[in-house]
Amino acid sequence: MTVQWQEQVSLKPFNTFGIDVKARYFCQPHDDEQIREALNRAHAQGLPVQVIGGGSNLLLTQDVDALVLHVASRGVQVISDDGHAVIVEAQAGEPWHPFVQWTLGQGYCGLENLSLIPGTVGAAPMQNVGAYGVEIKDVFAGLTALDRETGELREFDLAACTFGYRDSVFKRNPGRWLILRVRFALSHTLQPHLDYGPVRQRLAEQGNAEPTAQAISDAICSIRREKLPDPAELGNAGSFFKNPVVSAECVERIRAQHPGVVAYPLADSQVKLAAGWLIEQAGWKGYREGDAGVHRLQSLVLVNYGQASGAQMHALAQQIQADILQRFGVALEMEPNLW
Ligand code: FAD
Ligand code: NAP
């Protein structure tokens, strides 16, 4: 069936910042055929195409003079299950958190730490989504994408995705591949990852010394609900800046002035600084200018109190970046994709 195009569609309901810009054209293809058809039609008209999933990692700063293709494909399939290891495939348009809950309901372990992340399955590999010590690369079994340059299907294994910290080949080549479906290597046996942040403590408070994957997911959901704003109530795109990875010397220089600096050693004597800590130290926590602000509980999250434009959110982000560079000599990189 031919996919309908609409004209001059407000993207406000399609981005979690709640920014009100218009798409020149908008369509919601439900399967590979409709996706191909929309891309071909746009190509024939010389129209650029922008792909959108849940809009939870986007900052829209202007009307989008393109076809905005909202991936709406659905479906989850068990590819193999030998009683220990399970491969599950989900279509790109599947909402992420309900998919995670579905896997847990089936008794499949592996995605529990990635609970309550907004967005879609298809966008998850873009920035190798991660939380509480697990990244999608840790449970990745492969994906199928459409090469938008050649129109051919391509299979990506783990190596081909070159996943990094909030990074992948897809993020580094925006617009090249449209991810159609993703496969996950899950297990009937839980390998718990509890050493990150307050996860173990929350489970201990609940008297849960040997938690199930569902109990870990529930604990993480409760921690996240306490700390992070719900986009349905307060517009945001999660962490607005990546945690900067810097040299050990850089951290020592900062520590000399700020003994409480929050830093986590990585391989190759690199160190990950908590960007939220830097922003909080600089006094931005809870800052508000018009409807653009910094969340009162988590400084890494910029929020839209209602009517902020994307340009206002971006201007606030740039002010913060300049201040952190000046105070600490550290460059903060934006995490959301800027349109
Ligand atoms: P979108 O915002 O729609 O798109 C993001 C990018 O991916 C765009 O460039 C888009 O063009 C591209 N894209 C979308 N779908 C496809 C596709 N099928 N094929 C090719 N390209 C595509 N992120 C984390 O990593 N960890 C977290 O814990 C986390 N927590 C969050 C909490 C909150 C409250 C919010 C608002 C965001 C959070 N995020 C987190 C960020 C975000 O949810 C994730 O990055 C998520 O994977 C984005 O999915 P999406 O479908 O909303 O992508
Ligand atoms: P948090 O627990 O307050 O921790 C602050 C920062 O310290 C996090 O950014 C995290 O880095 C890092 N950290 C904490 N414990 C660590 C450890 N044991 N080893 C290495 N690094 C550690 O963070 P939060 O804001 O409440 O978020 C909790 C988790 O959800 C984090 O993993 C975070 O990345 C994820 N999250 C991501 C987004 C997003 O939009 N990207 C939004 C909300 C939450 P990392 O960020 O590298 O994990």
Side-chain angles (χ1 to χ4, degrees), residues 16 51-58 71 92 117-120 122-124 126-127 129-131 166 177-179 224 228-229 231 236-238 335 337 339:
T16 58
V51 176
I52 195 169
S56 63
N57 208 16
L58 283 183
V71 181
I117 299 179
T120 55
M126 284 294 293
Q127 69 158 13
V129 288
R166 304 281 187 268
W177 291 287
L178 196 156
I179 296 168
R224 292 181 70 112
L228 291 165
N236 75 91
E335 186 178 296
N337 301 272
W339 285 11

Side-chain angles (χ1 to χ4, degrees), residues 279-334:
I279 296 167
E280 185 174 342
Q281 288 303 302
W284 289 97
K285 197 174 192 175
Y287 176 86
R288 178 170 176 172
E289 190 176 324
D291 272 355
V294 178
H295 192 241
R296 64 187 177 83
L297 298 177
Q298 170 50 290
S299 312
L300 203 46
V301 178
L302 301 194
V303 292
N304 174 10
Y305 285 99
Q307 303 302 320
S309 67
Q312 284 166 332
M313 297 304 315
H314 193 211
L316 172 59
Q318 287 174 316
Q319 268 178 274
I320 294 171
Q321 282 172 316
D323 189 33
I324 299 304
L325 187 60
Q326 197 249 323
R327 282 175 195 264
F328 300 104
V330 173
L332 291 182
E333 192 186 330
M334 259 181 69

Side-chain angles (χ1 to χ4, degrees), residues 56-57 113-118 127 129-135 165-166 195-199 220 223-224 227-229 236-243 262-266 272-277 297-301 335-336:
S56 63
N57 208 16
N113 287 42
L114 301 175
S115 297
L116 215 60
I117 299 179
Q127 69 158 13
V129 288
Y132 299 98
V134 174
E135 296 175 329
Y165 176 61
R166 304 281 187 268
D195 293 330
Y196 215 76
V199 182
I220 285 175
I223 295 165
R224 292 181 70 112
K227 201 167 172 188
L228 291 165
N236 75 91
S239 305
F240 199 88
F241 301 103
K242 291 185 189 179
N243 289 321
V262 178
Y264 299 92
L266 304 174
K272 181 178 74 178
L273 285 173
W277 184 87
L297 298 177
Q298 170 50 290
S299 312
L300 203 46
V301 178
E335 186 178 296

Side-chain angles (χ1 to χ4, degrees), residues 52-80:
I52 195 169
S56 63
N57 208 16
L58 283 183
L59 178 58
L60 305 173
T61 58
Q62 55 189 327
D63 288 342
V64 187
D65 188 16
L67 168 68
V68 173
L69 189 158
H70 180 232
V71 181
S73 50
R74 291 284 197 281
V76 177
Q77 194 190 353
V78 177
I79 302 286
S80 66

